[in-house]
């Protein structure tokens, strides 16, 4: 299984970006897919997770009301739409998947077998 995260870049505060997570060797519609981020000098943080089957979602506190996770099964891709970006959103963003099918409240504490290479998001004026 290989995950490919893309879509990062430099954006001004208040701007938007859409991250993509594509996969080979796995159908992402059959497994939960999550996004983590890690900023320099900070611990890794769970951003969002989308379940297989029912598509239920979870968001970290920093992502609520600003970010939206979604899945396009026809493209085998999971997206993270990020709006109203803030400088504190600057980080490397990773998509992950494992054996989990459903996201739960503690999804960010689970172990995931497969990680994308990360895509850098920089929010700065």
């Amino acid at each position: 299984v290989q995950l490919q995260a893309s879509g990062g870049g430099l954006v001004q505060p208040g701007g938007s970006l859409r991250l993509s997570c594509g996969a080979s060797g796995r159908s992402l519609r059959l497994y939960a897919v999550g996004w983590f981020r890690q900023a320099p000098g900070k611990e890794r943080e769970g951003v969002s997770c989308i379940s297989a089957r029912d598509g239920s979602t979870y968001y970290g506190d920093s992502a609520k009301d600003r970010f939206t996770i979604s899945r396009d099964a026809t493209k085998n891709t999971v997206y993270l739409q990020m709006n109203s970006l803030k400088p504190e959103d600057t980080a490397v963003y990773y998509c992950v998947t494992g054996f989990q099918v459903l996201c739960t409240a503690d999804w960010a504490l689970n172990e995931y077998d497969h990680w994308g290479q990360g895509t850098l998001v920089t929010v700065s004026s």
Side-chain angles (χ1 to χ4, degrees):
V1 177
Q2 288 189 330
L3 300 180
Q4 181 73 31
S6 61
L10 175 63
V11 62
Q12 292 186 342
S16 299
L17 281 175
R18 188 179 76 162
L19 305 184
S20 300
C21 177
S24 59
R26 168 170 289 194
S27 176
L28 293 184
R29 67 181 179 86
L30 299 179
Y31 296 89
V33 178
W35 286 95
F36 285 87
R37 70 184 185 185
Q38 187 160 23
K42 295 187 177 181
E43 291 192 356
R44 189 177 68 201
E45 175 187 4
V47 177
S48 185
C49 182
I50 185 167
S51 299
R53 300 175 186 171
D54 64 358
S56 57
T57 57
Y58 279 88
Y59 293 93
D61 288 341
S62 62
K64 289 177 182 177
D65 302 322
R66 298 188 300 127
F67 294 1
T68 302
I69 191 170
S70 62
R71 174 190 281 115
D72 186 337
T74 64
K75 296 182 178 179
N76 202 28
T77 299
V78 169
Y79 300 102
L80 185 68
Q81 177 68 43
M82 305 187 297
N83 299 328
S84 302
L85 283 163
K86 306 173 182 179
E88 50 264 43
D89 294 318
T90 295
V92 178
Y93 286 70
Y94 301 90
C95 58
V96 303
T97 188
F99 65 88
Q100 298 86 353
V101 175
L102 294 176
C103 303
T104 57
D106 61 352
W107 73 271
L109 301 178
N110 294 335
E111 294 292 327
Y112 294 91
D113 295 329
H114 309 292
W115 289 69
Q117 84 286 3
T119 185
L120 176 62
V121 173
T122 304
V123 185
S124 175
S125 56

